[in-house]
Amino acid sequence: IASKCNIVYIIFYKQTGIIFNIFRTCISTSFIKHNFSDKVFGFGNFQLGMTDVEASKDFSLITGYDTLVSRSFAVGGGVKPAQGWMMGASYSQPLNIMSGNMHYKVPVGRTVDGQVKFNEGSADASTKVIEHDLGLFVQYKVDDRFSMAGYGEHRLNVAGTKNNDQTSLGVKLNWKF
């Protein structure tokens, strides 16, 4: 299990001054690989993160966030049917926000005496449509200097967009000289 925390400072410039937004993210990652036998293996990982965002309350329509909780994971398995050959499949969900709210303050009009009226509220920032990725791979190691691989991936709801599906196929040749 590995963990790390990052602090990212995002600076926005505006005519009235500088706006600082600070993102603090802590991520915990677990990874496992297991050989069930000489020919069958499995693998997986799970990542859980918490992000704290400090938004400018003075110059931004977004006035803050609750702690955003995100996750991603992948599982897969494969076989080694013959010397030099390996093939398998995987299923994964890329990083998505599980929970957290965004708070906003939007100007909606002016009073008779010129004061700005605001609409304040919160919106759910969690991912509504989850991406799912399915993959297949095959690899053949000819010798210590040359190997080749093929892969296919079908992504459902790419980037959280419903019915935005993509399929990709590829071939990789690796020659060490």
Side-chain angles (χ1 to χ4, degrees):
I1 297 176
S3 296
K4 69 177 184 178
C5 291
N6 294 324
I7 298 177
V8 178
Y9 297 93
I10 308 294
I11 302 171
F12 296 97
Y13 294 93
K14 193 174 178 183
Q15 288 178 338
T16 55
I18 299 174
I19 301 169
F20 290 95
N21 283 344
I22 301 171
F23 299 80
R24 288 186 222 56
T25 302
C26 291
I27 300 168
S28 179
T29 303
S30 300
F31 181 81
I32 187 169
K33 182 177 181 184
H34 182 71
N35 292 320
F36 296 103
S37 70
D38 290 344
K39 296 188 178 247
V40 180
F41 63 93
F43 58 88
N45 69 54
F46 180 77
Q47 190 172 56
L48 184 67
M50 294 174 49
T51 302
D52 180 34
V53 181
E54 285 184 26
S56 170
K57 292 184 169 84
D58 298 325
F59 302 106
S60 178
L61 297 175
I62 299 171
T63 58
Y65 287 87
D66 296 340
T67 298
L68 301 175
V69 179
S70 58
R71 72 157 178 231
S72 67
F73 70 87
V75 294
V79 295
K80 300 174 185 176
Q83 182 65 34
W85 284 94
M86 182 171 29
M87 56 185 73
S90 65
Y91 168 73
S92 63
Q93 280 187 4
L95 189 66
N96 61 81
I97 299 173
M98 296 170 34
S99 65
N101 288 315
M102 172 190 71
H103 307 288
Y104 59 87
K105 183 176 178 181
V106 180
V108 293
R110 290 195 177 268
T111 62
V112 176
D113 62 350
Q115 297 295 315
V116 177
K117 291 178 65 176
F118 292 94
N119 180 9
E120 296 183 54
S122 297
D124 185 0
S126 62
T127 305
K128 303 296 182 249
V129 178
I130 305 292
E131 180 176 337
H132 303 273
D133 298 344
L134 306 166
L136 295 172
F137 63 90
V138 62
Q139 180 180 340
Y140 180 60
K141 185 176 180 181
V142 177
D143 57 33
D144 287 339
R145 294 181 48 212
F146 183 72
S147 65
M148 53 188 147
Y151 67 89
E153 182 180 48
H154 185 63
R155 297 174 64 193
L156 303 163
N157 303 322
V158 175
T161 306
K162 190 172 183 148
N163 298 323
N164 179 18
D165 302 341
Q166 297 177 3
T167 302
S168 60
L169 302 170
V171 174
K172 176 183 170 184
L173 302 174
N174 191 19
W175 179 30
K176 297 178 186 175
F177 53 93

